[in-house]
Amino acid sequence: MRLGLRALALTSLVTCLACSGQRAPTPSPASAPSPVAVGAPTGKYGEVKGVELVPGGVASFELQGKVERAALSQVTVESQPFERALRLEIKERSGNPWDVQLRLPVARAVQAGDVLLATIYLKAEPGHGDAAARTEFVMELGREPWSKSVSYPMRAGAEWQKVHVRYTAQRSYAPGEAQLLFRLGYEPQTLLIGGVSVENFGQKLALSDLPTTKLSYPGMQADAAWRSAAAARIDQLRKQDLAVLVQDRNGNAVAGADVVVHQTKQAFGFGSAVVAQKLTRPGNEQYKQLTAELFNTAVFENNLKWQPLAGDWGEGWTVDVALKGVDWLAQHGIQARGHVLVWPSWKNLPRALKGLEKDPAKLRAAVNAHITELAGATRGKLVHWDVLNEPFDNHDLMDLLGEDVMVEWFRAARGADPSAKLFINDYAILAGGPGTTPHRDNYERVIQLLLDKGAPLDAIGIQGHFDAGLTGPEDVLELLDRYAKFGKPIWITEYDVDIDDEALAAKFTRDFYTAAFSHPAVQGIIMWGFWDGAHWHRNAPLYREDWSLKPAGQAYRDLVLRELRTDVSGKTDARGAYKTRAFLGSYALTVSVAGARKTVPLELANGSKPAVIKLD
Ligand code: G3I
């Protein structure tokens, strides 16, 4: 976790010290019980009055940016500690959260180090289907370089919920220099914001004297009903009876033989995004050792993308580097998946391709040639290819060439490498709370289109980047059901949980992995990097930059390396038989008696027969 530029988790409460990294926990999404405003508000909080920076209440905020994308109105509110709220109907998606926002310049001076408390009431109105409307509360300098003191993403639920955001001013602001914002540049939604107050306590209180809102997610509680159902599915789906019969050279049963059952590989995919250069160049010993220890699958975060391979990112991004990475993975028993053949927006395609924008025939040919060349160069080496990435907001090529071109891409990939399973891949499918959203609808539509048109689509990738919206396990399972109806395997392709409450990230990681592992359609879970030193948000699930293990890292090790693997031993009975319930995968079985000893491999799959082991 970056110090100084991110919210620091103090004990179990979160306090935003300098949030230009802008990640802080958020209240739970729609279907969760509203977050409890907990924290350690000392009596002093009640005694000391702060200076109110929003004297006019929420009505004093004004809409700013691409205002045509939002309809602003005032509504009266009953049985809440405020009578009026702003209703924001966001009608059109934005590329940036700041494209549309509510803004209020801060008329008073704020000194660096001042302790402030924002109190905000939020409610989502069912409208555009986004059941968990979202916003981000920001206090920043109202000009370059927009120095922030707080940036706090939050999600609204179906009921009014109070959110406390405590923070420290990261710099001094003269009267009028600071601005308070509610960012609204997200997916279409209808959001109510009421009861806004921002109190400046100066140095009269410590941050910990103030209340804060603890994050939670539905199903987090230890006795949640989903847990036993998941455990039952895991036993039924992911385990089989493993039976061993030990005989002597004449085929007679050997009773009392010692049997050790050691799982060497899980059938289920547990993986991470990795950087080929870190695996293949000298150094990075911990990175290499942990990659080999923790994962049986890996994907290159960037090494097989078209933009770097085209030279747009400078030196060192070549297919040869990627192939060396594939070899390293193979030498360590790790299967490699390819990411990504076509990420069809100009911002994610090679710069040079834009020059073909006016020549559809050449553009189409260039994309097909890229697929054929790259998938040909890795032929037989990758278990998967993400053929098409994030079609919801990456569709410049489809806009120019028609949506059927996506079918051509899958066909070209199949022709170039018949051995790789071909995936579509997208984000915001599981993240962002429950319910239907335009992003989820579009994913369903594109998958159906590909299948209807005969595209060789083998599997569905669902990324799993969580931050402001922790989706509870039951909602995750329901969303997985929605895409499992296509009858294709699902992989979680890019899991991470970008919040600053490390204890909560550990709980969520354990629950998310357990729920996904329990779903019949899911065949693997890949995290999007495992170490802060090589992570797009510098907030990876497992290890901090100094290689210290995060609580979520411990949760992963306990679950994946211990609880979801089988390492047991016992003795054969009078019939020379030993049986246990074991996770599907590869095993080394060692049997020994009276000095004789033998180790044999075993693949445990559905329907496996007993292993007969003869001791000479
Ligand atoms: O390292 C080069 C640098 O030498 C060069 O000067 C510079 C020029 O722009 O580029 C640098 O490469 C950067 C690269 O990451 C390696 O650090 C690129 O700028 C930067 O755009 C690239 O960002 C990657 C991003 O995808 C865009 O490709 C992130 O690392 C990567 O984590 C992110 O991953 C995506 C998945 O592919 C799809 N799903 C979402 C996920 C997160 O955005």
Side-chain angles (χ1 to χ4, degrees):
M1 182 185 298
R2 278 185 296 166
L3 300 180
L5 286 179
R6 299 182 61 76
L8 300 176
L10 297 175
T11 62
S12 66
L13 302 176
V14 177
T15 306
C16 233
L17 289 182
C19 294
S20 79
Q22 318 183 33
R23 289 289 165 201
T26 57
S28 49
S31 64
S34 61
V36 178
V38 296
T42 63
K44 276 197 281 181
Y45 165 57
E47 290 152 21
V48 174
K49 274 307 282 168
V51 173
E52 179 55 64
L53 302 186
V54 188
V58 72
S60 51
F61 281 79
E62 289 181 350
L63 210 49
Q64 180 196 54
K66 298 179 173 66
V67 296
E68 69 283 0
R69 295 183 181 173
L72 170 64
S73 56
Q74 289 204 23
V75 294
T76 52
V77 176
E78 281 156 22
S79 63
Q80 291 294 326
F82 52 92
E83 278 125 34
R84 303 193 65 66
L86 294 185
R87 181 177 185 275
L88 289 301
E89 185 185 349
I90 309 301
K91 295 173 284 190
E92 188 188 332
R93 267 184 63 68
S94 294
N96 304 302
W98 53 84
D99 285 350
V100 185
Q101 51 191 9
L102 284 174
R103 174 180 177 273
L104 175 70
V106 176
R108 290 176 171 269
V110 176
Q111 303 308 320
D114 280 359
V115 170
L116 297 102
L117 176 69
T119 304
I120 301 155
Y121 287 76
L122 291 177
K123 183 173 183 248
E125 240 187 46
H128 294 268
D130 189 338
R134 62 192 298 194
T135 185
E136 194 164 33
F137 171 69
V138 175
M139 183 168 109
E140 67 178 13
L141 183 65
R143 55 173 160 71
E144 288 292 348
W146 314 104
S147 320
K148 288 174 186 52
S149 288
V150 64
S151 176
Y152 190 98
M154 52 185 85
R155 283 194 172 278
E159 303 303 327
W160 278 108
Q161 58 192 43
K162 172 161 76 169
V163 182
H164 277 312
V165 186
R166 63 188 187 184
Y167 61 101
T168 305
Q170 286 309 295
R171 56 162 288 154
S172 296
Y173 303 92
E177 263 199 328
Q179 58 185 17
L180 298 172
L181 305 169
F182 286 99
R183 286 184 163 155
L184 302 164
Y186 301 107
E187 310 204 353
Q189 60 179 10
T190 303
L191 179 66
L192 300 180
I193 304 178
V196 174
S197 135
V198 178
E199 295 171 276
N200 183 355
F201 295 96
Q203 317 278 327
K204 290 179 281 185
L205 288 181
L207 226 40
S208 55
D209 292 333
L210 299 174
T212 185
T213 299
K214 196 95 178 89
L215 183 73
S216 72
Y217 54 86
M220 185 171 100
Q221 58 279 26
D223 61 353
W226 71 273
R227 295 185 190 281
S228 54
R233 284 194 305 276
I234 286 171
D235 185 74
Q236 191 255 326
L237 291 168
R238 309 295 179 193
K239 299 181 95 170
Q240 273 290 305
D241 287 342
L242 186 158
V244 180
L245 282 175
V246 180
Q247 300 171 348
D248 62 18
R249 66 165 66 101
N250 303 318
N252 303 312
V254 176
D258 289 315
V259 180
V260 176
V261 175
H262 168 59
Q263 184 162 16
T264 53
K265 189 164 195 172
Q266 289 142 306
F268 190 89
F270 291 109
S272 176
V274 291
V275 182
Q277 292 91 326
K278 291 189 184 300
L279 297 176
T280 57
R281 291 178 184 165
N284 307 305
E285 290 316 313
Q286 270 179 300
Y287 189 85
K288 294 170 182 170
Q289 183 262 319
L290 286 167
T291 297
E293 180 194 3
L294 296 170
F295 308 116
N296 57 38
T297 305
V299 61
F300 294 121
E301 179 181 23
N302 293 303
N303 291 98
L304 286 173
K305 286 177 179 171
W306 194 358
Q307 224 174 39
L309 293 177
D312 288 10
W313 294 0
E315 302 298 313
W317 298 94
T318 64
V319 175
D320 188 48
V321 168
L323 289 173
K324 285 194 171 73
V326 172
D327 291 344
W328 188 95
L329 293 169
Q331 287 152 22
H332 292 80
I334 299 172
Q335 61 183 9
R337 68 185 313 269
H339 172 83
V340 54
L341 289 170
V342 188
W343 196 352
S345 61
W346 296 122
K347 71 175 185 294
N348 289 308
L349 289 164
R351 279 193 295 272
L353 201 71
K354 192 87 162 44
L356 300 179
E357 185 176 14
K358 301 274 186 280
D359 187 334
K362 282 194 180 156
L363 179 60
R364 176 190 302 258
V367 179
N368 287 340
H370 164 69
I371 295 168
T372 301
E373 184 188 344
L374 181 53
T378 59
R379 185 184 179 103
K381 294 177 178 284
L382 303 174
V383 287
H384 302 163
W385 260 115
D386 285 339
V387 175
L388 166 59
N389 198 42
E390 304 177 3
F392 178 72
D393 46 8
N394 292 265
H395 44 74
D396 294 327
L397 294 183
M398 295 82 105
D399 296 349
L400 281 169
L401 302 175
E403 289 203 311
D404 287 5
V405 74
M406 296 185 283
V407 181
E408 285 177 36
W409 299 339
F410 280 86
R411 289 199 174 119
R414 176 68 96 231
D417 184 356
S419 65
K421 294 277 178 261
L422 304 182
F423 278 64
I424 185 170
N425 190 45
D426 210 340
Y427 70 98
I429 304 302
L430 297 180
T436 293
T437 64
H439 207 130
R440 292 168 179 159
D441 293 346
N442 183 69
Y443 205 36
E444 202 168 14
R445 180 188 71 80
V446 172
I447 292 167
Q448 192 63 64
L449 178 149
L450 289 168
L451 295 174
D452 289 349
K453 292 183 181 281
L457 172 67
D458 299 317
I460 296 169
I462 296 181
Q463 293 184 14
H465 291 293
F466 291 93
D467 56 12
L470 291 181
T471 308
E474 282 136 317
D475 292 321
V476 165
L477 290 164
E478 202 170 301
L479 288 160
L480 288 170
D481 285 344
R482 176 172 176 179
Y483 297 92
K485 74 171 188 244
F486 291 108
K488 301 289 181 185
I490 293 174
W491 279 64
I492 308 299
T493 50
E494 306 184 11
Y495 173 79
D496 48 26
V497 53
D498 189 15
I499 59 175
D500 288 286
D501 181 336
E502 289 195 335
L504 188 79
K507 270 199 173 86
F508 184 77
T509 297
R510 179 185 175 79
D511 286 350
F512 178 79
Y513 268 70
T514 301
F517 185 70
S518 80
H519 192 286
V522 179
Q523 294 188 356
I525 306 172
I526 310 273
M527 58 179 69
W528 200 243
F530 62 96
W531 171 52
D532 285 358
H535 186 262
W536 67 307
H537 278 166
R538 306 201 82 75
N539 192 6
L542 308 186
Y543 288 87
R544 300 186 189 91
E545 192 130 17
D546 63 4
W547 290 105
S548 55
L549 188 62
K550 296 185 181 183
Q554 189 59 58
Y556 177 90
R557 294 186 70 97
D558 291 345
L559 183 68
V560 172
L561 300 189
R562 201 162 45 77
E563 296 170 43
L564 301 184
R565 308 177 76 101
T566 303
D567 273 305
V568 292
S569 59
K571 285 186 179 300
T572 56
D573 62 17
R575 293 177 297 112
Y578 169 81
K579 189 164 91 168
T580 186
R581 189 92 179 139
F583 283 102
L584 303 178
S586 311
Y587 285 83
L589 301 181
T590 302
V591 297
S592 54
V593 67
R597 182 189 181 83
K598 183 182 255 186
T599 296
V600 299
L602 171 86
E603 279 309 310
L604 184 66
N606 289 324
S608 288
K609 300 272 181 289
V612 178
I613 301 175
K614 281 194 184 258
L615 282 174
D616 299 333

